Amino acid sequence: MKRNNKMQTTTFIDNFITPRLTRSPDGRLLFDGFDCEQLARQYGTPLYLMSEDTVRANCRRHLNALRRYLGADAVAAYAGKALSCRQIYRIIADEGMYADAVSSGELYTAYASGFDMSHIIFHGNNKTPADIAYAQKLGVGLIVADSSYEVAMISRSAASAGIVQPILLRLTPGIDAHTHQKISTGQADSKFGIPIDRAPEAVAHALSMPGVRLDGIHCHIGSQISDPKPFCDALEILLDALSGLQSDTGFTARIINLGGGFGVRYVDSDTAANPDTIFSALGSMLDDFCRTRRYPHPAVITEPGRSIVADAGITLYTVGNIKQSGAGTTYVSVDGGMADNPRYALYCAPYTALAAVESPGGSATISHTSAPLSDEDYLPTEFNLPDTAFNDCAIVGRCCESGDILVPHAHLPRVCPGDIIAVLNTGAYNYSMASNYNRLPRPPIVMLHNGKAYVAVRRETPEDVAALDC
Ligand code: LLP
């Protein structure tokens, strides 16, 4: 596929919600210079597209700010739960990032990509004995223990493997990160981590266990947070705990892991987290603490997931059935839905959608008399809806339930069956949360880099979906 050389003459759209997304003067949506409709036709839909350069730029921005304000020895461990496939581990390793993993599947994917497993931080609130043994067999660098029970399990497993396992203890600071309840983790009533006031006994216990080396503490307060304040509140509580731990147990942390959670923009009204603002605030708190308490400056780790991949991805869909409900809602059905993006169904998460082709005036697609835009032959819609019906329409999926909504209030030009639409910023927690609900095969991930498109994950087939059935 050739790069569209009209790129210089295009304008960036939507205030950079998605960097590298442009609209050509003749109304065609370009992602990293590639014509979206042509990519849809070549690879089929639904289609996850990822801009490799955006992933790389996000890694650099995070790492540069982190090291500038929190120390040259600071490490960013990409949270693979946002998007895990072999190619993403190759890219982030190339950018000098570590990774966090939470399951045998994520561990194996990183391992199979050739990732240095000593750069893996293994997480989870309920690691099984088999998970722990597998992580140790693969040689992960750090395991974050979620409880004293887990410390004991890691200790036993390390003893039988004849190793000493470096660990961190996950502490729960008891603060509200003011994000969606289902993605908050730092509040007092959380299934994650050790309540901060029980840290002294947990640290004393970990220090007494053979086969483990307690290197420091970890905290992750939640996800999609853009305000620096909750991060600062969490650090203040952790630093207070560290000074108490030093006097009570003699423990000095070599590592402080602040987790991830840096917010991105899905819609115009969102504000993205600014790594410079957040890390400069955290950096001065940490420096002050170390200076006044004469505490050796710990190495800082962060675990960004969403902020590395979200705005690097868009999903393309083909429009099918269009109808108006009895209540007057315009439903635009697409050939994907909650199986490839369950985030609206789960969190009412907002997304921005655009038509892949729009007239320069922005009100209608250019022509529907041209050849069908996808492989299938779409018929004209049975409804003769006015253009205004698409000003506030619901983009819904093809799964058999009413909650299968992608964008409840989209603003589209008039679209017809066969048209391509793009949902923006789907790079995080879409592919990684995709399912085969209704036995839908999962879409492929096509990466764009240096004027080339390449398949990073191939499209599933109906045979793949049934491949494990006995
Ligand atoms: N570290 C830990 C320990 C975590 O639990 C998480 C996310 C991260 C790092 C990365 O957070 P991020 O930078 O991506 O916000 N499925 C939800 C998000 C769940 C996040 C779970 N933990 C969603 O689609 O919004």
PDB file of all heavy atoms in Angstrom, residues 79 81 100 123 170 183 218 220 223-224 260-262 303-306 343 347 429 433, ligand 1:
ATOM      1  N   ALA A  79       2.501  -1.218  30.615  1.00  0.00           N
ATOM      2  CA  ALA A  79       1.499  -2.155  31.147  1.00  0.00           C
ATOM      3  C   ALA A  79       0.848  -2.900  29.987  1.00  0.00           C
ATOM      4  O   ALA A  79      -0.029  -2.376  29.293  1.00  0.00           O
ATOM      5  CB  ALA A  79       0.452  -1.408  31.971  1.00  0.00           C
ATOM      6  N   LYS A  81      -1.328  -4.994  29.718  1.00  0.00           N
ATOM      7  CA  LYS A  81      -2.784  -5.225  29.714  1.00  0.00           C
ATOM      8  C   LYS A  81      -3.492  -4.268  28.767  1.00  0.00           C
ATOM      9  O   LYS A  81      -4.582  -4.552  28.300  1.00  0.00           O
ATOM     10  CB  LYS A  81      -3.357  -5.113  31.131  1.00  0.00           C
ATOM     11  CG  LYS A  81      -3.018  -3.807  31.821  1.00  0.00           C
ATOM     12  CD  LYS A  81      -3.574  -3.738  33.239  1.00  0.00           C
ATOM     13  CE  LYS A  81      -2.742  -4.500  34.244  1.00  0.00           C
ATOM     14  NZ  LYS A  81      -1.358  -3.982  34.429  1.00  0.00           N
ATOM     15  N   ASP A 100       5.167  -4.512  32.307  1.00  0.00           N
ATOM     16  CA  ASP A 100       4.487  -5.226  33.399  1.00  0.00           C
ATOM     17  C   ASP A 100       3.576  -6.274  32.779  1.00  0.00           C
ATOM     18  O   ASP A 100       3.033  -6.085  31.705  1.00  0.00           O
ATOM     19  CB  ASP A 100       3.825  -4.217  34.360  1.00  0.00           C
ATOM     20  CG  ASP A 100       2.300  -4.167  34.397  1.00  0.00           C
ATOM     21  OD1 ASP A 100       1.626  -5.109  33.957  1.00  0.00           O
ATOM     22  OD2 ASP A 100       1.779  -3.155  34.894  1.00  0.00           O
ATOM     23  N   HIS A 123       2.693  -8.869  38.023  1.00  0.00           N
ATOM     24  CA  HIS A 123       1.635  -8.323  38.856  1.00  0.00           C
ATOM     25  C   HIS A 123       0.469  -9.272  38.988  1.00  0.00           C
ATOM     26  O   HIS A 123       0.401 -10.274  38.293  1.00  0.00           O
ATOM     27  CB  HIS A 123       1.055  -7.084  38.151  1.00  0.00           C
ATOM     28  CG  HIS A 123       1.652  -5.811  38.605  1.00  0.00           C
ATOM     29  ND1 HIS A 123       1.397  -5.269  39.819  1.00  0.00           N
ATOM     30  CD2 HIS A 123       2.498  -4.952  37.978  1.00  0.00           C
ATOM     31  CE1 HIS A 123       2.060  -4.129  39.936  1.00  0.00           C
ATOM     32  NE2 HIS A 123       2.737  -3.920  38.837  1.00  0.00           N
ATOM     33  N   ARG A 170       2.767  -4.313  47.190  1.00  0.00           N
ATOM     34  CA  ARG A 170       1.765  -3.358  46.706  1.00  0.00           C
ATOM     35  C   ARG A 170       0.966  -2.803  47.885  1.00  0.00           C
ATOM     36  O   ARG A 170       0.319  -3.557  48.619  1.00  0.00           O
ATOM     37  CB  ARG A 170       0.819  -4.030  45.707  1.00  0.00           C
ATOM     38  CG  ARG A 170      -0.248  -3.060  45.232  1.00  0.00           C
ATOM     39  CD  ARG A 170      -0.983  -3.544  44.018  1.00  0.00           C
ATOM     40  NE  ARG A 170      -1.969  -2.560  43.590  1.00  0.00           N
ATOM     41  CZ  ARG A 170      -2.633  -2.603  42.442  1.00  0.00           C
ATOM     42  NH1 ARG A 170      -2.411  -3.589  41.613  1.00  0.00           N
ATOM     43  NH2 ARG A 170      -3.508  -1.668  42.134  1.00  0.00           N
ATOM     44  N   ILE A 183     -12.439   1.348  37.451  1.00  0.00           N
ATOM     45  CA  ILE A 183     -10.992   1.384  37.187  1.00  0.00           C
ATOM     46  C   ILE A 183     -10.248   2.178  38.259  1.00  0.00           C
ATOM     47  O   ILE A 183      -9.136   2.624  38.052  1.00  0.00           O
ATOM     48  CB  ILE A 183     -10.682   1.901  35.750  1.00  0.00           C
ATOM     49  CG1 ILE A 183     -11.309   3.263  35.472  1.00  0.00           C
ATOM     50  CG2 ILE A 183     -11.133   0.896  34.717  1.00  0.00           C
ATOM     51  CD1 ILE A 183     -10.930   3.847  34.112  1.00  0.00           C
ATOM     52  N   HIS A 218       5.052  -0.586  45.921  1.00  0.00           N
ATOM     53  CA  HIS A 218       4.320  -0.284  44.692  1.00  0.00           C
ATOM     54  C   HIS A 218       2.952   0.273  45.054  1.00  0.00           C
ATOM     55  O   HIS A 218       2.387  -0.065  46.102  1.00  0.00           O
ATOM     56  CB  HIS A 218       4.122  -1.571  43.876  1.00  0.00           C
ATOM     57  CG  HIS A 218       3.156  -1.394  42.732  1.00  0.00           C
ATOM     58  ND1 HIS A 218       1.785  -1.480  42.894  1.00  0.00           N
ATOM     59  CD2 HIS A 218       3.358  -1.122  41.431  1.00  0.00           C
ATOM     60  CE1 HIS A 218       1.199  -1.264  41.727  1.00  0.00           C
ATOM     61  NE2 HIS A 218       2.128  -1.047  40.822  1.00  0.00           N
ATOM     62  N   HIS A 220      -0.712   1.675  42.749  1.00  0.00           N
ATOM     63  CA  HIS A 220      -1.398   2.083  41.508  1.00  0.00           C
ATOM     64  C   HIS A 220      -2.800   2.507  41.911  1.00  0.00           C
ATOM     65  O   HIS A 220      -3.553   1.694  42.451  1.00  0.00           O
ATOM     66  CB  HIS A 220      -1.435   0.913  40.519  1.00  0.00           C
ATOM     67  CG  HIS A 220      -2.310   1.166  39.329  1.00  0.00           C
ATOM     68  ND1 HIS A 220      -1.905   1.922  38.260  1.00  0.00           N
ATOM     69  CD2 HIS A 220      -3.579   0.760  39.055  1.00  0.00           C
ATOM     70  CE1 HIS A 220      -2.891   1.972  37.366  1.00  0.00           C
ATOM     71  NE2 HIS A 220      -3.911   1.281  37.827  1.00  0.00           N
ATOM     72  N   SER A 223      -6.992   4.316  36.816  1.00  0.00           N
ATOM     73  CA  SER A 223      -6.684   4.508  35.406  1.00  0.00           C
ATOM     74  C   SER A 223      -7.446   5.701  34.850  1.00  0.00           C
ATOM     75  O   SER A 223      -8.496   6.077  35.388  1.00  0.00           O
ATOM     76  CB  SER A 223      -7.093   3.227  34.673  1.00  0.00           C
ATOM     77  OG  SER A 223      -6.382   3.077  33.479  1.00  0.00           O
ATOM     78  N   GLN A 224      -6.941   6.265  33.754  1.00  0.00           N
ATOM     79  CA  GLN A 224      -7.573   7.409  33.076  1.00  0.00           C
ATOM     80  C   GLN A 224      -7.670   8.604  34.038  1.00  0.00           C
ATOM     81  O   GLN A 224      -8.713   9.209  34.245  1.00  0.00           O
ATOM     82  CB  GLN A 224      -8.931   6.982  32.488  1.00  0.00           C
ATOM     83  CG  GLN A 224      -9.731   8.019  31.697  1.00  0.00           C
ATOM     84  CD  GLN A 224      -8.983   8.559  30.478  1.00  0.00           C
ATOM     85  OE1 GLN A 224      -7.867   8.183  30.179  1.00  0.00           O
ATOM     86  NE2 GLN A 224      -9.570   9.498  29.768  1.00  0.00           N
ATOM     87  N   GLY A 260       0.586   3.069  36.966  1.00  0.00           N
ATOM     88  CA  GLY A 260       0.246   3.794  35.731  1.00  0.00           C
ATOM     89  C   GLY A 260      -0.975   4.647  35.963  1.00  0.00           C
ATOM     90  O   GLY A 260      -1.161   5.190  37.051  1.00  0.00           O
ATOM     91  N   GLY A 261      -1.813   4.776  34.929  1.00  0.00           N
ATOM     92  CA  GLY A 261      -3.072   5.490  35.105  1.00  0.00           C
ATOM     93  C   GLY A 261      -3.164   6.830  34.406  1.00  0.00           C
ATOM     94  O   GLY A 261      -4.133   7.564  34.606  1.00  0.00           O
ATOM     95  N   PHE A 262      -2.171   7.176  33.585  1.00  0.00           N
ATOM     96  CA  PHE A 262      -2.121   8.504  32.972  1.00  0.00           C
ATOM     97  C   PHE A 262      -3.197   8.628  31.884  1.00  0.00           C
ATOM     98  O   PHE A 262      -3.246   7.836  30.945  1.00  0.00           O
ATOM     99  CB  PHE A 262      -0.709   8.758  32.421  1.00  0.00           C
ATOM    100  CG  PHE A 262       0.337   8.419  33.456  1.00  0.00           C
ATOM    101  CD1 PHE A 262       1.020   7.209  33.424  1.00  0.00           C
ATOM    102  CD2 PHE A 262       0.588   9.280  34.515  1.00  0.00           C
ATOM    103  CE1 PHE A 262       1.935   6.862  34.407  1.00  0.00           C
ATOM    104  CE2 PHE A 262       1.495   8.953  35.515  1.00  0.00           C
ATOM    105  CZ  PHE A 262       2.174   7.736  35.456  1.00  0.00           C
ATOM    106  N   GLU A 303       4.254   2.620  35.371  1.00  0.00           N
ATOM    107  CA  GLU A 303       3.673   1.550  34.554  1.00  0.00           C
ATOM    108  C   GLU A 303       2.599   2.095  33.618  1.00  0.00           C
ATOM    109  O   GLU A 303       1.415   1.767  33.759  1.00  0.00           O
ATOM    110  CB  GLU A 303       3.067   0.484  35.483  1.00  0.00           C
ATOM    111  CG  GLU A 303       4.096  -0.178  36.372  1.00  0.00           C
ATOM    112  CD  GLU A 303       3.479  -1.034  37.465  1.00  0.00           C
ATOM    113  OE1 GLU A 303       2.287  -0.860  37.788  1.00  0.00           O
ATOM    114  OE2 GLU A 303       4.204  -1.889  38.008  1.00  0.00           O
ATOM    115  N   PRO A 304       2.977   2.924  32.658  1.00  0.00           N
ATOM    116  CA  PRO A 304       1.958   3.480  31.757  1.00  0.00           C
ATOM    117  C   PRO A 304       1.483   2.436  30.744  1.00  0.00           C
ATOM    118  O   PRO A 304       2.291   1.711  30.167  1.00  0.00           O
ATOM    119  CB  PRO A 304       2.727   4.594  31.032  1.00  0.00           C
ATOM    120  CG  PRO A 304       4.149   4.085  30.993  1.00  0.00           C
ATOM    121  CD  PRO A 304       4.344   3.317  32.284  1.00  0.00           C
ATOM    122  N   GLY A 305       0.185   2.344  30.573  1.00  0.00           N
ATOM    123  CA  GLY A 305      -0.352   1.443  29.547  1.00  0.00           C
ATOM    124  C   GLY A 305      -1.101   2.261  28.511  1.00  0.00           C
ATOM    125  O   GLY A 305      -0.654   2.506  27.391  1.00  0.00           O
ATOM    126  N   ARG A 306      -2.280   2.771  28.943  1.00  0.00           N
ATOM    127  CA  ARG A 306      -3.159   3.518  28.062  1.00  0.00           C
ATOM    128  C   ARG A 306      -2.441   4.679  27.355  1.00  0.00           C
ATOM    129  O   ARG A 306      -2.601   4.866  26.156  1.00  0.00           O
ATOM    130  CB  ARG A 306      -4.307   4.085  28.909  1.00  0.00           C
ATOM    131  CG  ARG A 306      -5.424   4.723  28.118  1.00  0.00           C
ATOM    132  CD  ARG A 306      -6.377   5.465  29.066  1.00  0.00           C
ATOM    133  NE  ARG A 306      -6.809   4.683  30.205  1.00  0.00           N
ATOM    134  CZ  ARG A 306      -7.886   3.906  30.240  1.00  0.00           C
ATOM    135  NH1 ARG A 306      -8.655   3.810  29.184  1.00  0.00           N
ATOM    136  NH2 ARG A 306      -8.208   3.238  31.332  1.00  0.00           N
ATOM    137  N   ARG A 343     -15.726  -1.238  25.771  1.00  0.00           N
ATOM    138  CA  ARG A 343     -15.532  -0.188  26.780  1.00  0.00           C
ATOM    139  C   ARG A 343     -16.771   0.665  27.023  1.00  0.00           C
ATOM    140  O   ARG A 343     -16.984   1.145  28.119  1.00  0.00           O
ATOM    141  CB  ARG A 343     -14.299   0.667  26.455  1.00  0.00           C
ATOM    142  CG  ARG A 343     -13.007  -0.164  26.510  1.00  0.00           C
ATOM    143  CD  ARG A 343     -11.748   0.683  26.528  1.00  0.00           C
ATOM    144  NE  ARG A 343     -11.593   1.396  27.775  1.00  0.00           N
ATOM    145  CZ  ARG A 343     -11.834   2.682  27.948  1.00  0.00           C
ATOM    146  NH1 ARG A 343     -12.238   3.424  26.919  1.00  0.00           N
ATOM    147  NH2 ARG A 343     -11.687   3.246  29.113  1.00  0.00           N
ATOM    148  N   TYR A 347     -18.015   0.585  30.754  1.00  0.00           N
ATOM    149  CA  TYR A 347     -17.750   1.803  31.551  1.00  0.00           C
ATOM    150  C   TYR A 347     -18.482   3.027  31.024  1.00  0.00           C
ATOM    151  O   TYR A 347     -18.187   4.139  31.455  1.00  0.00           O
ATOM    152  CB  TYR A 347     -16.250   2.157  31.536  1.00  0.00           C
ATOM    153  CG  TYR A 347     -15.301   1.004  31.616  1.00  0.00           C
ATOM    154  CD1 TYR A 347     -14.461   0.686  30.543  1.00  0.00           C
ATOM    155  CD2 TYR A 347     -15.208   0.235  32.774  1.00  0.00           C
ATOM    156  CE1 TYR A 347     -13.556  -0.362  30.620  1.00  0.00           C
ATOM    157  CE2 TYR A 347     -14.311  -0.824  32.850  1.00  0.00           C
ATOM    158  CZ  TYR A 347     -13.498  -1.117  31.768  1.00  0.00           C
ATOM    159  OH  TYR A 347     -12.613  -2.160  31.856  1.00  0.00           O
ATOM    160  N   TYR A 429      -6.875  -1.180  25.558  1.00  0.00           N
ATOM    161  CA  TYR A 429      -8.013  -1.894  26.137  1.00  0.00           C
ATOM    162  C   TYR A 429      -9.122  -2.169  25.124  1.00  0.00           C
ATOM    163  O   TYR A 429     -10.305  -2.184  25.468  1.00  0.00           O
ATOM    164  CB  TYR A 429      -8.554  -1.135  27.363  1.00  0.00           C
ATOM    165  CG  TYR A 429      -7.493  -0.945  28.443  1.00  0.00           C
ATOM    166  CD1 TYR A 429      -6.955   0.310  28.712  1.00  0.00           C
ATOM    167  CD2 TYR A 429      -7.002  -2.033  29.150  1.00  0.00           C
ATOM    168  CE1 TYR A 429      -5.967   0.476  29.672  1.00  0.00           C
ATOM    169  CE2 TYR A 429      -6.014  -1.871  30.115  1.00  0.00           C
ATOM    170  CZ  TYR A 429      -5.508  -0.618  30.366  1.00  0.00           C
ATOM    171  OH  TYR A 429      -4.523  -0.454  31.317  1.00  0.00           O
ATOM    172  N   MET A 433      -9.089  -6.466  25.350  1.00  0.00           N
ATOM    173  CA  MET A 433     -10.326  -6.869  26.018  1.00  0.00           C
ATOM    174  C   MET A 433     -11.323  -7.484  25.035  1.00  0.00           C
ATOM    175  O   MET A 433     -12.476  -7.744  25.401  1.00  0.00           O
ATOM    176  CB  MET A 433     -10.961  -5.667  26.715  1.00  0.00           C
ATOM    177  CG  MET A 433     -10.097  -5.139  27.853  1.00  0.00           C
ATOM    178  SD  MET A 433     -10.824  -3.711  28.652  1.00  0.00           S
ATOM    179  CE  MET A 433     -12.021  -4.500  29.692  1.00  0.00           C
TER     180      MET A 433
HETATM  181  N1  LLP B   1      -0.208  -0.860  36.710  1.00  0.00           N
HETATM  182  C1  LLP B   1      -1.171  -1.557  37.324  1.00  0.00           C
HETATM  183  C2  LLP B   1      -0.848  -2.284  38.546  1.00  0.00           C
HETATM  184  C3  LLP B   1      -2.459  -1.590  36.795  1.00  0.00           C
HETATM  185  O1  LLP B   1      -3.403  -2.291  37.412  1.00  0.00           O
HETATM  186  C4  LLP B   1      -2.733  -0.882  35.602  1.00  0.00           C
HETATM  187  C5  LLP B   1      -4.077  -0.911  35.007  1.00  0.00           C
HETATM  188  C6  LLP B   1      -1.695  -0.177  34.983  1.00  0.00           C
HETATM  189  C7  LLP B   1      -0.446  -0.176  35.576  1.00  0.00           C
HETATM  190  C8  LLP B   1      -1.885   0.584  33.699  1.00  0.00           C
HETATM  191  O2  LLP B   1      -2.825   1.590  33.795  1.00  0.00           O
HETATM  192  P1  LLP B   1      -3.019   2.607  32.565  1.00  0.00           P
HETATM  193  O3  LLP B   1      -1.743   3.416  32.444  1.00  0.00           O
HETATM  194  O4  LLP B   1      -3.248   1.810  31.349  1.00  0.00           O
HETATM  195  O5  LLP B   1      -4.187   3.417  32.946  1.00  0.00           O
HETATM  196  N2  LLP B   1      -9.869  -1.982  31.239  1.00  0.00           N
HETATM  197  C9  LLP B   1      -9.908  -0.637  31.791  1.00  0.00           C
HETATM  198  C10 LLP B   1      -8.584  -0.227  32.390  1.00  0.00           C
HETATM  199  C11 LLP B   1      -8.132  -1.152  33.506  1.00  0.00           C
HETATM  200  C12 LLP B   1      -6.803  -0.781  34.041  1.00  0.00           C
HETATM  201  C13 LLP B   1      -6.304  -1.832  34.957  1.00  0.00           C
HETATM  202  N3  LLP B   1      -5.013  -1.616  35.484  1.00  0.00           N
HETATM  203  C14 LLP B   1     -10.317   0.333  30.678  1.00  0.00           C
HETATM  204  O6  LLP B   1     -10.583  -0.106  29.580  1.00  0.00           O
HETATM  205  O7  LLP B   1     -10.417   1.525  30.932  1.00  0.00           O
END
